[in-house]
Amino acid sequence: HEIRVVVSGKAHQFLKERFSARENVALEEIHGLTLRYFGNRLDRAGSLFWNLRNAPKGVKKNVAVYRKVAEEIRQGMDKYLWRPEINRFARMVNFAPDGAMEMDLSMDASMYAIFAYGPYEPNDPKVLSTMKQLEDRLWCKTKVGGMARYENDYYHQVSSDVGNVPGNPWFICTLWLALHRIEKAGNLKELDQAIPLLQWVASHALPSGVLAEQVNPYSNEPLSVSPLTWSHAAVVPCVERFLDQQMEL
């Protein structure tokens, strides 16, 4: 089988060195969450239909490999990203050329991915502790409120009072927090804890219903892109999961 891997940044460099001798492994680099195909091409080996036709031959083996890799990732997160001394996950870990481990302990709302993408359950004690600390540190302590992206976010920064305003409130970050409350709910009373966050999103939209990327932490004035598709798109899974949980609970 030919394996094609699309990864970003340092992960690309790490895998490139690790699989340099594997002729059947092709690596393509992307940046952040941006996915692209060079020249907008899909060749036969990478096409969906080719894979659907040929995949059954190796399904059992592939599933076993994927599960093994997923477990290795989980073990790696437990070993490197989980920091018992602060009772939460780190934002990132890098390895210096000399092999020394460099830990980034910044609080970042995107760490919600630890439960949203499957490595851990929403009620895992590690997730609960991390999400609680994220909310405590990144919630804007102004009359506007809302969740900032990360500590001392300089993008369209309005205030240098990072103790109270770690960054401007973002709709998607507030919705990520809401999603965690929805996913971890064990009964309807716990599910209702997500409602204030959903109401925050609705009440801080423009009269037209438009959601910006972020808002001014003091005036609620839209900042950066407005409307932002990502903000609107983040509402959908939250509302869908809320309704699903409401039915199930």
Side-chain angles (χ1 to χ4, degrees), residues 178-226:
L179 185 62
H180 180 245
R181 292 188 183 181
I182 293 167
E183 295 291 2
K184 73 182 181 69
N187 53 57
L188 291 175
K189 184 176 180 180
E190 291 179 355
L191 181 63
D192 285 347
Q193 294 175 8
I195 293 177
L197 295 175
L198 297 175
Q199 291 175 329
W200 184 93
V201 172
S203 64
H204 289 77
L206 293 175
S208 62
V210 162
L211 300 177
E213 177 182 72
Q214 51 185 298
V215 297
N216 186 300
Y218 299 105
S219 68
N220 195 47
E221 175 189 2
L223 295 174
S224 189
V225 179
S226 181

Side-chain angles (χ1 to χ4, degrees), residues 39-232:
N40 198 28
R41 295 177 303 163
L42 280 173
D43 60 33
R44 181 173 180 273
S47 73
L48 172 63
F49 295 109
W50 187 90
N51 280 301
L52 285 175
R53 189 174 69 231
N54 290 277
K57 301 174 184 177
V59 165
K60 290 184 178 180
K61 180 180 179 181
N62 289 344
V63 169
V65 170
Y66 295 152
R67 286 178 174 169
K68 181 175 183 294
V69 171
E71 181 56 30
E72 289 176 351
I73 291 174
R74 165 72 180 258
Q75 291 173 1
M77 293 177 69
D78 284 338
K79 181 177 181 179
Y80 297 109
L81 289 177
W82 173 251
R83 310 312 302 169
E85 67 274 16
I86 54 176
N87 199 33
R88 67 172 172 85
F89 285 95
R91 180 196 203 187
M92 184 186 306
V93 59
N94 291 316
F95 290 91
D98 62 357
M101 192 166 61
E102 301 172 348
M103 196 67 60
D104 182 350
L105 299 178
S106 302
M107 302 295 279
D108 190 318
S110 67
M111 290 158 64
Y112 90 111
I114 58 178
F115 78 87
Y117 296 117
Y120 299 87
E121 293 297 321
N123 278 303
D124 187 296
K126 295 177 180 178
V127 174
L128 294 175
S129 179
T130 299
M131 294 302 297
K132 178 64 167 61
Q133 292 186 55
L134 286 174
E135 181 178 2
D136 291 345
R137 184 66 191 90
L138 297 181
W139 189 264
C140 293
K141 299 172 182 64
T142 66
K143 65 178 182 179
V144 172
M147 191 85 161
R149 277 198 308 174
Y150 53 81
E151 293 177 292
N152 199 22
D153 186 355
Y154 61 86
Y155 185 57
H156 288 282
Q157 191 173 43
V158 170
S159 173
S160 59
D161 180 14
V162 295
N164 291 310
V165 184
N168 299 330
W170 283 54
F171 286 102
I172 59 169
C173 300
T174 306
L175 286 163
W176 292 341
L177 180 60
L179 185 62
H180 180 245
R181 292 188 183 181
I182 293 167
E183 295 291 2
K184 73 182 181 69
N187 53 57
L188 291 175
K189 184 176 180 180
E190 291 179 355
L191 181 63
D192 285 347
Q193 294 175 8
I195 293 177
L197 295 175
L198 297 175
Q199 291 175 329
W200 184 93
V201 172
S203 64
H204 289 77
L206 293 175
S208 62
V210 162
L211 300 177
E213 177 182 72
Q214 51 185 298
V215 297
N216 186 300
Y218 299 105
S219 68
N220 195 47
E221 175 189 2
L223 295 174
S224 189
V225 179
S226 181
L228 181 69
T229 302
W230 194 4
S231 296
H232 289 267

